[in-house]
Amino acid sequence: MGVIKQQGRDKIYLHLRSYTVPNEQRYIIRILFIVPIYAFDSWLSLLLISNDQYYVYFDSIRDCYEAFVIYNFLSLSFEYLGGESAIMAEIRGKPIPSSCMYGTCCLAGMSYSIGFLRFCKQATLQFCVVKPIMAIITIFLQAFGKYHDGDFNVNGGYLYIMIIYNVSVSLALYALFLFYSATSDLLRPFEPVLKFLTIKSVIFLSFWQGMILAILERCGVIPEALLIDGHEVGAGTVAAGWQNFITCIEMFFAAIALRYAFTYDVYQEKKSQAPDNVAPMHSISSGLKETINPGDMVQDAIHNFSPAYQQYTQQSTQEVVQPNQNGKQGPAVSKNPKKSDKITLIDTDDEL
């Protein structure tokens, strides 16, 4: 477990050392934190498994961060392409292909508009709201004995929380997929497939493992009670223990995949190529402080849910990296890289 956390910390540290494109790297660092957070949370839950209550609190924190990761991946994709206004300039008016395989059969005859981008953002942001609410409700029900992992009884809270969570996370991941299908050609220079599959695998494996273990518990495969350190542990806690043990193993492979998916090399090259007269970049501590500041997510929520902004797109103020002829990332076009907020609103004629 220590090796897993070390790999995650090293990768984050290297990005912070080459923190040359804050508007991109803050999302990357947040995504990379999923490995140490998941690994430490799962290890702590296993360490305290003899207490039936503790793992629920730790897992709730982990699940909330899962929602945050989905939002940050979509936001990173927006930044790669230069923001909403740049994306709309490329896809506005193009017909949405109708396909049952890709889940777009219900969108036949429609074309891409600002409403499409707004849906993608809203669908991910709703998960960032629903998941913490479900986590609080879970803790509340646990305290009153109304929540037990694997208990599908209609009188308990587990069944309803799982239904709401499944609908919410499926909607968020569906929005990610829709956005990727609309911008796959534009995102190709940034190699999004490995990034998307890695994040989706971590989140979906975590969810479906829990569901399978709950079903196994219900079928009697997992014992109803087990003695651990002299304490009797219920079947739900045993199933959660298996889930956390498997998660610790998976995080090792996730750390390797994320290392290749979100490489820091391109940012390190920018740091070495920066002219001497350019002001020094953020220190590691200030870069980390900017990364953990959720202000951009609050701003996005206001922009995407407030009726006052429904007919506007945001123009990114990031440093845009243009792909060169061989598909690699080419020279950067600076747009005030020290400025991290997206403040320019561009009117659009698209109808929602």
Side-chain angles (χ1 to χ4, degrees):
M1 210 282 295
V3 174
I4 299 171
K5 290 196 293 182
Q6 182 66 34
Q7 286 192 8
R9 289 196 302 264
D10 287 348
K11 188 66 174 175
I12 293 168
Y13 174 73
L14 291 172
H15 269 282
L16 288 172
R17 287 228 17 210
S18 304
Y19 201 61
T20 52
V21 188
N23 273 24
E24 289 181 9
Q25 287 178 280
R26 65 179 173 187
Y27 298 122
I28 293 174
I29 292 170
R30 290 170 181 175
I31 292 170
L32 293 176
F33 262 118
I34 195 173
V35 170
I37 288 176
Y38 266 46
F40 180 71
D41 178 278
S42 299
W43 174 75
L44 206 56
S45 296
L46 286 172
L47 193 65
L48 302 173
I49 193 173
S50 58
N51 188 303
D52 277 349
Q53 305 290 327
Y54 288 171
Y55 80 91
V56 174
Y57 307 124
F58 298 136
D59 290 354
S60 297
I61 296 173
R62 182 183 68 192
D63 292 344
C64 290
Y65 198 79
E66 173 184 296
F68 192 47
V69 166
I70 293 179
Y71 160 78
N72 279 284
F73 180 68
L74 181 63
S75 297
L76 175 63
S77 299
F78 271 65
E79 289 298 327
Y80 277 153
L81 300 180
E84 290 181 359
S85 58
I87 297 170
M88 286 309 305
E90 295 291 338
I91 68 173
R92 179 189 283 114
K94 294 182 180 179
I96 301 177
S98 178
S99 171
C100 293
M101 179 181 298
Y102 295 108
T104 57
C105 52
C106 57
L107 303 178
M110 299 179 64
S111 59
Y112 293 117
S113 67
I114 186 58
F116 171 82
L117 291 185
R118 195 72 72 243
F119 167 78
C120 293
K121 271 292 181 72
Q122 289 175 344
T124 53
L125 284 167
Q126 61 82 25
F127 188 47
C128 294
V129 175
V130 169
K131 190 55 191 176
I133 292 175
M134 290 297 102
I136 294 171
I137 292 175
T138 298
I139 294 173
F140 181 79
L141 293 175
Q142 175 81 7
F144 287 89
K146 296 295 185 180
Y147 180 90
H148 301 283
D149 271 333
D151 184 5
F152 291 94
N153 193 309
V154 293
N155 295 321
Y158 178 81
L159 175 63
Y160 305 106
I161 287 176
M162 283 298 101
I163 291 174
I164 295 172
Y165 172 68
N166 191 26
V167 171
S168 182
V169 70
S170 297
L171 180 61
L173 290 173
Y174 175 63
L176 275 182
F177 183 78
L178 283 181
F179 178 79
Y180 172 73
S181 65
T183 60
S184 57
D185 291 338
L186 302 174
L187 285 170
R188 188 171 291 117
F190 303 97
E191 302 176 349
V193 176
L194 180 58
K195 298 178 175 67
F196 180 76
L197 291 179
T198 302
I199 293 172
K200 189 173 181 179
S201 296
V202 170
I203 292 172
F204 257 111
L205 280 176
S206 177
F207 173 74
W208 286 111
Q209 281 168 187
M211 287 295 295
I212 292 172
L213 287 168
I215 293 172
L216 291 176
E217 177 197 340
R218 189 70 175 176
C219 296
V221 176
I222 297 176
E224 294 183 0
L226 192 66
L227 284 176
I228 300 178
D229 295 335
H231 299 275
E232 188 176 275
V233 176
T237 304
V238 175
W242 277 108
Q243 164 82 334
N244 287 312
F245 174 73
I246 295 171
T247 299
C248 285
I249 297 175
E250 289 172 347
M251 286 304 101
F252 173 76
F253 298 101
I256 296 174
L258 288 170
R259 186 177 184 86
Y260 289 100
F262 296 97
T263 178
Y264 69 96
D265 295 342
V266 63
Y267 304 107
Q268 190 177 45
E269 290 176 3
K270 289 179 183 178
K271 183 178 180 180
S272 62
Q273 293 171 1
D276 295 336
N277 59 350
V278 175
M281 293 296 171
H282 299 291
S283 66
I284 291 177
S285 59
S286 61
L288 185 60
K289 181 180 178 180
E290 181 181 333
T291 298
I292 63 178
N293 182 1
D296 57 296
M297 187 175 70
V298 175
Q299 182 184 356
D300 251 358
I302 293 173
H303 175 72
N304 284 280
F305 286 105
S306 173
Y309 297 105
Q310 290 299 298
Q311 297 298 325
Y312 292 86
T313 60
Q314 292 174 311
Q315 182 178 11
S316 175
T317 57
Q318 73 162 20
E319 185 181 46
V320 179
V321 180
Q322 301 292 347
N324 58 25
Q325 293 180 353
N326 58 11
K328 299 297 182 180
Q329 293 178 345
V333 179
S334 178
K335 292 187 177 181
N336 191 12
K338 282 194 169 186
K339 183 70 174 175
S340 61
D341 295 330
K342 296 171 289 184
I343 58 174
T344 306
L345 297 178
I346 299 180
D347 194 6
T348 176
D349 296 329
D350 292 328
E351 296 293 336
L352 294 178

